[in-house]
Amino acid sequence: MFESLWRYRHFISSSIKGDLQGRFVRSRFGGLWFILHPLAQALIFSLVLSEVLKAKLPENDTPAAYPIYLLAGMAAWTLFSDILTRSMNVFIEQAPIMKKIAFPRLCLPLIVGGSTLITHLLLLAAIFVIFIFFGHAPGLTLILLPLGILLIAALGFGLGVILGVINVFIRDTAQVMTIALQLLYWMTPIVYPINIVPEQYRFIVELNPLTPLIGLYQDALLFDRWPDPATLIWPTALGILCVAFAFVFFRRASPELLDVL
C-alpha cells in the first residue's frame, strides 16, 4: 500500500494543485477565501467577546492579547476540522472518479490533507501580518509550530479516514459528526482559557487530545512559553494510533467500498 502511494506521488501532488485551483475557479478573490473565512470568524469572536463582553486573559492584560489568543486557537482548530471533515466525505464525493480511474484510493484523503496543509500555511502567514499590525512578535517558541501542525494533521487524517470509510456504509456518520464537532469545539479552550473552567468539569477539557495541541499554538504565538512535554504524550499516542488504525481499517474495507458506492 505504501509502495503504491509512492508510485502515485506525482498524481497526488498534481491533484493537490488541481484541488486548490478548482475550489475557487470562478471566484474573484480566489485563494484569499482560504484565509478570509477563519480570519473573519476570529474577528467576530474578538469583537463580541473582547469588546462587548469585555473578556480578558488572566495571564495577559495587553489589549491585543485576546484577539491573538483567538487567532492562534482558531488556526489550529481550522486545520483539524478541515482535514477531518474533508477526509470524511472524500470517498463519497469522489465516487464517480473512483469507479472510472484505477489508482490507490488512499490517495484521496492524502490529497485533501495536503491541500488543507497548504491553506493552513497561508493562513499562518496572514496571521503573522496581523501580529505585526498589533505590534506583537512571536518568540523562539515559534519553532514548535511544525510539531503542532504534524500532530493535529495526524489526528485529523486518522480520524477522517476511519470516519470516511464508515460514512460510505452508514451515511448518518457525517450528520452525527457535524454535531460532535460543534460539541468538541466548545470543549476545547479556543475562546476561553482553561483556567476559568470549574474544577469539577476541567478534567473533561483536559482529556480532550486537542487541548494541549491548541495550547501549543497559543503558547508559541502568544505567550512565548514552552509547553510541558508530558501534556503532549496523550495526543501524540492517539495520533499515531489513529493513523495506524486508519491504514489497517481502510485496507480491510477497501475491496467493498466501490460495491457500496
Side-chain angles (χ1 to χ4, degrees):
M1 183 164 53
F2 291 106
E3 289 178 359
S4 62
L5 289 176
W6 176 252
R7 288 198 301 270
Y8 279 79
R9 62 190 183 277
H10 300 298
F11 168 75
I12 294 173
S13 60
S14 61
S15 297
I16 290 173
K17 181 180 179 181
D19 179 71
L20 292 171
Q21 293 175 340
R23 288 171 66 184
F24 298 102
V25 66
R26 296 184 181 273
S27 172
R28 290 184 179 273
F29 287 97
L32 283 177
W33 288 115
F34 292 126
I35 301 170
L36 294 177
H37 280 303
L39 287 182
Q41 189 175 5
L43 178 61
I44 292 169
F45 272 105
S46 299
L47 290 174
V48 172
L49 295 176
S50 63
E51 297 299 329
V52 178
L53 300 180
K54 302 299 180 183
K56 300 289 184 181
L57 291 178
E59 308 95 332
N60 199 319
D61 294 329
T62 306
Y66 190 72
I68 293 171
Y69 180 86
L70 268 177
L71 285 171
M74 291 293 294
W77 171 261
T78 302
L79 174 62
F80 170 76
S81 62
D82 283 357
I83 290 179
L84 175 60
T85 53
R86 294 196 65 200
S87 297
M88 182 173 58
N89 296 313
V90 70
F91 298 121
I92 294 175
E93 293 174 353
Q94 302 298 329
I97 296 177
M98 292 173 63
K99 294 177 181 179
K100 296 177 181 178
I101 304 175
F103 63 94
R105 309 309 180 196
L106 203 57
C107 289
L108 293 175
L110 288 176
I111 290 168
V112 299
S115 172
T116 304
L117 283 173
I118 292 174
T119 59
H120 181 70
L121 294 177
L122 294 175
L123 174 62
L124 288 178
I127 288 175
F128 292 147
V129 173
I130 294 175
F131 285 178
I132 295 173
F133 175 78
F134 283 139
H136 173 74
L140 184 60
T141 53
L142 195 63
I143 62 175
L144 291 172
L145 275 187
L147 174 62
I149 293 172
L150 176 63
L151 294 178
I152 292 174
L155 199 58
F157 174 82
L159 290 174
V161 171
I162 295 169
L163 293 171
V165 173
I166 297 175
N167 194 31
V168 171
F169 296 93
I170 306 173
R171 297 300 172 93
D172 295 330
T173 304
Q175 307 304 324
V176 172
M177 283 306 301
T178 300
I179 300 172
L181 280 175
Q182 292 179 5
L183 180 61
L184 183 62
Y185 176 85
W186 291 105
M187 289 175 56
T188 308
I190 298 172
V191 300
Y192 59 86
I194 191 172
N195 52 17
I196 71 169
V197 179
E199 287 288 343
Q200 62 268 33
Y201 302 116
R202 191 172 299 178
F203 75 96
I204 299 175
V205 179
E206 291 175 344
L207 283 175
N208 180 356
L210 287 176
T211 296
L213 300 180
I214 298 291
L216 188 149
Y217 265 67
Q218 292 161 345
D219 288 340
L221 296 176
L222 174 62
F223 298 115
D224 193 22
R225 65 190 180 194
W226 301 94
D228 182 2
T231 62
L232 299 177
I233 295 176
W234 162 235
T236 301
L238 185 61
I240 294 173
L241 181 64
C242 285
V243 171
F245 183 74
F247 277 101
V248 174
F249 188 55
F250 179 84
R251 186 180 180 87
R252 295 288 182 89
S254 58
E256 301 178 20
L257 281 181
L258 286 180
D259 295 335
V260 176
L261 289 170

